[in-house]
Amino acid sequence: MSRTISYREALRDAHFQALSEDPRVFLVGEDVNCYGGTYAVSKGLADHFGADRVIDAPLSESGFVGAGIGAAMGGLRPIVEVMTVNFSLLALDQIVNAAATLRHMSGGQISVPLVIRMAMGAGRQLAAQHSHSLEGWYAHVPGLRVIAPATVADARGMLLTALADPDPVIIFEHVGLLALTDELPENAGAVEIDKAAVRREGSDVSLITWGGNLPKALEAAKQLEAASISAEVLDLRTLRPLDDAAIVATVSKTHRAVVIDEMWKTGSFAAEVCTRIVEQAFFELDAPLRRVCSAEVPIPYARHMELAALPSVARIVQAATEITRHE
Amino acid sequence: MSKLPDKARCHALYRQMLRIRRFEERCGELYKQQKIRGFLHLYIGEEAIATGVIGRLEARDVISATYREHGHALVRGVSMRAIMAEMYGKVAGCSRGRGGSMHLFDVQHGFLGGHAIVGAGLPIAVGLAMARKRLDQGAISVCFFGEGAAAEGEFHEALNLAALWELPVLFVCENNGYAMGTALARSESQTDIHLKAQAYRIRAEVVDGMDVLAVDEAAERAINAIRADLKPYFLECRTYRFRPHSMFDPELYREQAEVSEWKKKDPLLTFRTQCGKAGLLDETAVQAMEQEIGTEIEDAVQFSEQAEWEAESDLLKDVYSPRGAP
Ligand SMILES: Cc1ncc(C[n+]2csc(CCOP(=O)(O)OP(=O)(O)O)c2C)c(N)n1
Ligand SMILES: [Mg+2]
């Protein structure tokens, strides 16, 4: 048996399962209870699990992320929802200076089995303070695990695996994906969070991406096929630790790569992926690497300007075509 | 002045304070010999607070503190050898040499840091209280911090959360009047820190942090209240640090006369005098304590000198857990 559900419903189902199965699990964040979650992910959970397990937090990002860290250290399994990655900047201290360091600073005595979820990404005309992509900043930090579900199955399964992880895990949920639908088996559940996944096989060029840009990469691959270019699409899924083997494997197969990343190009996570390719698979390359990133501008409000700032199917197709028709 | 307890308890309180004092004096020497490196923040002058508060805790309670936490760890029962070895950077240290003086941890003793970001320990203590409340009703989370933390947003967020969510946290503000070189009045519009806690509807009191009995009594009162209703309590302990902020501080911001004035209130000196007058603590007893403590300290130094360095091949250890169950 299977059914068609949205990415948002998949996240909600995962929360439902986690809260049902483990009394140590609770969800805390701004407006997760009465409001039903800013993006309606937690809608209905409070009715079922009560205010002790689905906890509305005041506007205190550092405070409730820090409380999540303490609760995790103390034996609970908190899921902390931060409304968007922009607001997580007010909790950077707790995430970077505490969650990521406590195991190490304590010589391995302390675990911080904390899950922090945050919405991210542009595309909804929310302008320059609600549209950031900063997952690469977090992926910079040893001690954190950083994941980005790009499919409905991963939205359903990654949270459960993250909760079982003894270390802090940050989940980035691109707002552009929430309405995505897919068919999932009735018994869909936890999925591994160590490996990248080839979402489409191809032989001429690799499109490497994660999270919110996977649908764009898949669409680009379709259009490239019409132009007789066979594109492989690799979904990284986990940004830290990065699945180097999968990156090297796809590049060794296609000998060309375009990395698609919604972060600004300077210091983007795409830069890290490209460097790894150069370090580990330089001699496999038949063409220069290309990056399709956001333009170096705070995300503008006007629709056409916002779109112009973001990676697009057209830019991916163009980049892939240029390096494939290189010789 | 508070009424003195029986002789055994007077001895225990004095001994604990003396142990911190002598240990830290030795740390200061070892720092000058470059055996201890990094930052070293001494607690000398403030010993009555850790002694009074931690003495009132149970094994199931948890503690978090700042970078000025050697005394707290000692009173809590973390082994002196493990603390000293940590400062030496040896793998036998209580944080395996990865933390140093500012990051002492000992989970066995519920000693959960050692936090060196001013104010950051408070939200964590709130979360620890959430866990204690759910997993062991009646157990509490105690958080020590300096008055400098009151200027940080995390202080206010944590106080509000603890009160709003009704959590069993004991906030202990060690108000020594200075945050590095910044006198309290130069950083706070309201210098009565406990009033800030009251603004969040947390029970709060001012305590003479130089008087171990006053701290001991206030701690008992606070802890009983917290265990009874599982709601937070705040103690502002007024104290003074006799030493520089850390070993790098030329003390340009205060007069030696001020330090001398406060030294008259030295918690060891005043308590010893008080006990002496009541015939509860004599010279022989103090000498015996000095002897024992001296031996314990030299043993810790020897242990740390001889302890192994961690192999460099272990560099990446303890960044992540071995995957699987925590
Ligand atoms: C967030 C942050 N800012 C600055 C510092 C540098 N710093 C270390 S200790 C300190 C003073 C803190 O004073 P207080 O909280 O009163 O504690 P005390 O040292 O007096 O015990 C400062 C500014 C820091 N560690 N963390
Ligand atoms: Mg101070």
Side-chain angles (χ1 to χ4, degrees):
Chain A
M1 272 292 281
S2 71
R3 64 192 181 113
T4 299
I5 63 168
S6 68
Y7 185 98
R8 175 188 283 111
E9 288 162 334
L11 287 173
R12 189 184 306 143
D13 289 355
H15 282 78
F16 194 93
Q17 182 181 343
L19 286 159
S20 305
E21 286 178 355
D22 187 344
R24 298 173 304 172
V25 172
F26 66 94
L27 172 67
V28 61
E30 289 156 16
D31 285 310
V32 296
N33 183 320
C34 293
Y35 191 92
T38 311
Y39 292 98
V41 168
S42 54
K43 200 167 148 208
L45 293 179
D47 294 338
H48 205 275
F49 297 100
D52 262 6
R53 311 278 311 280
V54 182
I55 306 172
D56 271 340
L59 291 146
S60 304
E61 285 78 7
S62 202
F64 66 77
V65 170
I69 293 167
M73 282 165 70
L76 301 178
R77 291 293 178 276
I79 305 170
V80 177
E81 177 177 303
V82 177
M83 250 183 213
T84 80
V85 67
N86 303 76
F87 314 148
S88 79
L89 303 191
L90 283 84
L92 263 183
D93 167 47
Q94 289 294 342
I95 300 172
V96 177
N97 286 325
T101 61
L102 280 162
R103 167 171 295 281
H104 180 254
M105 281 196 311
S106 67
Q109 291 176 82
I110 286 179
S111 277
V112 183
L114 169 70
V115 174
I116 303 175
R117 297 174 33 245
M118 43 183 111
M120 56 150 303
R124 295 160 67 110
Q125 287 194 262
L126 298 178
Q129 294 184 332
H130 287 70
S131 305
H132 284 50
S133 291
L134 298 173
E135 63 274 33
W137 286 12
Y138 289 100
H140 178 61
V141 182
L144 302 178
R145 175 178 286 269
V146 176
I147 62 180
T151 66
V152 176
D154 277 353
R156 179 72 178 82
M158 279 183 155
L159 176 76
L160 302 170
T161 317
L163 273 170
D165 197 295
D167 298 315
V169 182
I170 306 189
I171 307 184
F172 286 97
E173 298 161 5
H174 194 293
V175 293
L177 294 172
L178 289 164
L180 187 79
T181 56
D182 199 0
E183 220 172 282
L184 272 195
E186 216 46 86
N187 65 352
V191 294
E192 59 80 21
I193 55 170
D194 291 315
K195 300 244 171 301
V198 174
R199 299 296 184 191
R200 179 190 168 110
E201 301 262 359
S203 53
D204 295 333
V205 59
S206 299
L207 306 180
I208 302 175
T209 191
W210 60 91
N213 287 285
L214 178 64
K216 290 180 191 172
L218 289 169
E219 176 57 29
K222 233 191 249 170
Q223 294 184 15
L224 287 163
E225 186 176 33
S228 303
I229 294 172
S230 164
E232 176 148 302
V233 177
L234 183 69
D235 172 7
L236 292 179
R237 299 178 73 242
T238 295
L239 304 191
R240 179 181 270 274
L242 199 48
D243 185 355
D244 282 345
I247 296 171
V248 170
T250 188
V251 171
S252 302
K253 181 176 172 193
T254 65
H255 310 292
R256 292 172 183 83
V258 178
V259 186
I260 303 112
D261 180 355
E262 208 172 294
M263 292 183 74
W264 294 293
K265 190 181 242 178
T266 306
S268 59
F269 192 71
E272 176 66 27
V273 176
C274 288
T275 307
R276 296 212 185 192
I277 294 171
V278 170
E279 283 175 339
Q280 300 174 59
F282 182 76
F283 294 110
E284 294 291 345
L285 290 175
D286 283 346
L289 295 168
R290 295 297 287 271
R291 283 183 286 163
V292 176
C293 298
S294 286
E296 309 274 341
V297 56
I299 305 299
Y301 163 69
R303 181 71 178 150
H304 66 298
M305 295 301 259
E306 180 182 40
L307 287 176
L310 301 177
S312 64
V313 174
R315 283 172 59 205
I316 301 167
V317 169
Q318 191 191 345
T321 308
E322 281 170 12
I323 59 170
T324 313
R325 299 269 156 79
H326 176 71
E327 51 267 31
Chain B
M1 234 177 210
S2 319
K3 203 172 143 289
L4 284 167
D6 65 25
K7 186 170 173 178
R9 187 146 172 76
C10 287
H11 280 211
L13 290 171
Y14 186 74
R15 189 180 188 289
Q16 203 60 273
M17 292 197 289
L18 189 65
R19 195 164 159 260
I20 301 173
R21 175 78 50 102
R22 296 289 178 255
F23 176 80
E24 288 209 312
E25 286 167 349
R26 190 76 172 94
C27 289
E29 289 167 16
L30 291 165
Y31 194 85
K32 292 198 179 105
Q33 296 166 25
Q34 306 201 348
K35 297 286 187 183
I36 297 176
R37 310 302 303 265
F39 282 146
L40 179 71
H41 307 87
L42 301 180
Y43 193 53
I44 292 176
E46 309 185 30
E47 296 93 337
I49 304 171
T51 302
V53 174
I54 295 173
R56 287 288 172 190
L57 297 177
E58 295 176 7
R60 61 183 175 149
D61 302 325
V62 294
I63 300 175
S64 48
T66 69
Y67 45 83
R68 201 181 295 288
E69 87 289 34
H70 317 139
H72 308 74
L74 283 171
V75 181
R76 185 56 170 175
V78 180
S79 109
M80 190 184 281
R81 282 184 167 190
I83 297 172
M84 188 61 92
E86 185 59 35
M87 297 204 213
Y88 268 71
K90 299 288 179 80
V91 68
C94 60
S95 306
R96 304 188 85 253
R98 300 297 179 112
S101 153
M102 299 194 286
H103 305 297
L104 303 177
F105 287 85
D106 183 348
V107 169
Q108 291 303 315
H109 287 89
F111 196 81
L112 305 179
H115 300 268
I117 305 294
V118 171
L122 282 91
I124 295 173
V126 167
L128 286 165
M130 283 176 101
R132 293 285 69 203
K133 188 172 178 175
R134 280 168 201 236
L135 301 175
D136 188 355
Q137 287 252 336
I140 72 177
S141 162
V142 185
C143 181
F144 294 89
F145 52 90
E147 86 295 339
E152 293 283 1
E154 293 190 305
F155 169 94
H156 296 272
E157 294 187 14
L159 258 56
N160 182 48
L161 289 179
L164 184 73
W165 290 343
E166 301 187 349
L167 296 171
V169 191
L170 174 57
F171 293 101
V172 184
C173 176
E174 301 180 316
N175 180 358
N176 59 14
Y178 291 91
M180 290 182 63
T182 305
L184 182 53
R186 299 186 67 240
S187 68
E188 289 293 316
S189 57
Q190 170 54 271
T191 53
D192 280 324
I193 308 288
H194 66 287
L195 294 181
K196 298 175 199 289
Q198 282 171 1
Y200 293 104
R201 309 183 72 173
I202 295 176
R203 296 161 289 194
E205 40 180 305
V206 181
V207 185
D208 179 356
M210 305 304 269
D211 178 352
V212 70
L213 291 179
V215 177
D216 174 71
E217 281 166 18
E220 187 187 24
R221 204 160 45 239
I223 291 165
N224 286 341
I226 298 173
R227 290 205 209 284
D229 64 11
L230 304 180
K231 290 180 190 169
Y233 206 107
F234 190 105
L235 298 178
E236 177 190 347
C237 301
R238 301 249 168 102
T239 183
Y240 198 80
R241 71 171 152 68
F242 295 166
R243 295 296 182 98
H245 167 73
S246 71
M247 306 302 277
F248 294 105
D249 170 10
E251 293 187 87
L252 302 173
Y253 50 86
R254 64 182 186 184
E255 301 292 334
Q256 273 313 303
E258 181 184 288
V259 181
S260 310
E261 209 41 49
W262 274 92
K263 279 189 175 168
K264 291 180 191 159
K265 295 186 219 164
D266 182 330
L268 278 83
L269 186 70
T270 53
F271 187 60
R272 185 175 163 179
T273 310
Q274 197 188 347
C275 292
K277 277 187 188 146
L280 293 170
L281 182 64
D282 59 21
E283 187 56 31
T284 328
V286 172
Q287 278 318 314
M289 288 181 199
E290 292 277 14
Q291 192 95 75
E292 273 171 39
I293 290 167
T295 307
E296 188 187 9
I297 292 169
E298 287 324 304
D299 167 74
V301 172
Q302 279 317 307
F303 173 80
S304 305
E305 288 282 343
Q306 284 155 20
E308 301 289 328
W309 297 104
E310 190 176 15
E312 248 177 65
S313 55
D314 276 355
L315 179 63
L316 299 185
K317 228 181 137 183
D318 295 330
V319 178
Y320 295 95
S321 20
R323 278 304 273 293

